[in-house]
Amino acid sequence: MNLYHLRYFSVLAETENYTKAAKLLSITQPSLSNAIHSLEQEIKVKLFAKKGRNVYLTKSGKLFVTEVNKALTTLDHGISEVQKSNQHDTLIRIVTLRTLSTQWLPNTVHDFLAANQRTQIHFEFSTDTGLSPDIIHGLRTEKCDICFCSKVDDQEDIDYFPIAEQELVVITPNNHPLAAKKEINLAETLPYKQITFSPRSGLYFIMRQLFAECGGHPISVYSIEEDQAVAGLVANNFGIAVVPNMTILKSMPIKIIPLTFPKWKRVFYMATLKQHYKTPAVKHFVDFIKEQN
């Protein structure tokens, strides 16, 4: 008995005619007759009886066809699900910080696809809320396969791999008293109103530490979660700010001043779940990024 025998039996049971069944199955009538005969011999049950040029199911045949059709339906459903899964295996779901989504990530994906033109890999991009804690939560709940963000914690379930870094700079409106400076010490910013990071930002505790090294605290007029939003307020004269040196800053009406002290770099990471199955596509992309860095 094999799968073909069962499918042949099911079609013949429906048509009750060897000629019609053979045509539907795209096989010869003798081949169909031999398959049904072989099936009957194997299960030692007569499945069909003749009625003129047609056949009909015996009592045992009626019982058997019900179970065979159930089995074939289950099998076909399983095949369909496996095929869908295989298509899904070519999808890589990525969540990233917005600051990485404008240049670094598009360039990286472009280079990956250029190096793998024969693959059928597709990408799905999202920035979620744009905050690293939320992005990592999405990774842990398997809403994405890979994320690019700041390091949130040291729990052992996440593999953090460094992929890029940014130095901190001071940004001011173009008409600000500090705008003429070519470099600046963080302590020099203390007398001026500042746009700072809120506790939900990954930079909040880092900035607190850096200001503590300077012996003071910023005069915070607004507390914002995202660095790009901080820069937007500075561009509109709401205050000055200390932010990572993002590409977008160059296109804004602000002055960018290198920070001489304290020196600190913001590191971005590729984050993936440890001890978790990765599809071949995801693993291939992860390996590509590690090779490039």
Side-chain angles (χ1 to χ4, degrees):
M1 186 190 306
N2 60 45
L3 181 60
Y4 290 113
H5 289 171
L6 296 178
R7 293 197 184 278
Y8 294 169
F9 165 66
S10 177
V11 172
L12 182 58
E14 184 177 352
T15 62
E16 296 184 334
N17 183 281
Y18 273 93
T19 303
K20 290 181 180 179
K23 187 175 182 180
L24 287 172
L25 294 165
S26 299
I27 61 174
T28 64
Q29 187 172 328
S31 296
L32 176 59
S33 298
N34 289 335
I36 297 302
H37 180 66
S38 175
L39 181 60
E40 289 179 327
Q41 279 193 322
E42 185 165 349
I43 65 175
K44 297 180 174 59
V45 172
K46 188 69 175 175
L47 298 173
F48 293 98
K50 289 185 178 180
K51 184 179 181 181
R53 294 184 178 180
N54 295 334
V55 293
Y56 64 92
L57 286 167
T58 63
K59 182 178 179 180
S60 297
K62 290 178 181 179
L63 291 173
F64 191 53
V65 76
T66 299
E67 299 305 319
V68 167
N69 285 341
K70 286 180 184 178
L72 291 176
T73 298
T74 299
L75 180 61
D76 289 340
H77 176 72
I79 292 172
S80 176
E81 290 301 307
V82 168
Q83 290 174 337
K84 289 179 183 177
S85 175
N86 184 60
Q87 292 174 354
H88 181 72
D89 284 352
T90 65
L91 177 67
I92 302 176
R93 301 169 301 162
I94 292 177
V95 181
T96 181
L97 290 174
R98 290 187 176 91
T99 187
L100 293 172
S101 68
T102 56
Q103 186 172 6
W104 182 87
L105 183 58
N107 289 344
T108 300
V109 171
H110 176 272
D111 291 345
F112 173 76
L113 292 175
N116 298 275
Q117 294 184 17
R118 295 184 179 180
T119 61
Q120 296 296 319
I121 294 177
H122 305 280
F123 288 87
E124 180 180 283
F125 301 104
S126 171
T127 55
D128 199 294
T129 63
L131 302 175
S132 292
D134 293 335
I135 291 174
I136 289 297
H137 176 72
L139 178 65
R140 286 192 166 111
T141 55
E142 301 184 29
K143 292 180 179 178
C144 63
D145 303 303
I146 305 170
C147 59
F148 298 99
C149 58
S150 299
K151 191 173 185 179
V152 171
D153 53 48
D154 292 315
Q155 294 188 36
E156 295 183 356
D157 62 326
I158 302 290
D159 178 34
Y160 288 101
F161 181 82
I163 49 94
E165 59 184 31
Q166 292 174 332
E167 292 186 343
L168 288 177
V169 293
V170 175
I171 56 174
T172 73
N174 286 325
N175 59 354
H176 193 273
L178 295 177
K181 286 188 168 290
K182 296 189 179 300
E183 58 183 26
I184 194 169
N185 184 304
L186 188 60
E188 297 177 74
T189 69
L190 293 175
Y192 302 96
K193 294 179 180 179
Q194 298 197 28
I195 316 300
T196 60
F197 290 97
S198 73
R200 276 183 51 78
S201 168
L203 288 170
Y204 173 77
F205 293 101
I206 293 167
M207 297 308 304
R208 283 186 59 182
Q209 178 183 341
L210 295 180
F211 274 106
E213 290 182 33
C214 295
H217 300 284
I219 304 171
S220 178
V221 288
Y222 292 100
S223 180
I224 307 296
E225 295 174 346
E226 288 192 63
D227 39 18
Q228 293 183 14
V230 171
L233 288 176
V234 172
N236 285 278
N237 282 299
F238 284 90
I240 66 172
V242 183
V243 297
N245 194 5
M246 306 169 284
T247 304
I248 194 174
L249 298 181
K250 296 177 181 179
S251 64
M252 303 179 76
I254 57 176
K255 179 67 184 296
I256 306 169
I257 310 171
L259 186 63
T260 59
F261 179 84
K263 280 288 187 181
W264 182 85
K265 290 183 178 181
R266 182 188 192 184
V267 180
F268 297 109
Y269 296 86
M270 172 176 66
T272 55
L273 285 173
K274 292 181 180 178
Q275 307 300 324
H276 188 270
Y277 172 73
K278 295 180 180 64
T279 66
V282 170
K283 187 177 185 305
H284 190 24
F285 187 59
V286 168
D287 291 341
F288 174 82
I289 290 177
K290 289 184 176 181
E291 290 171 2
Q292 301 300 309
N293 290 275

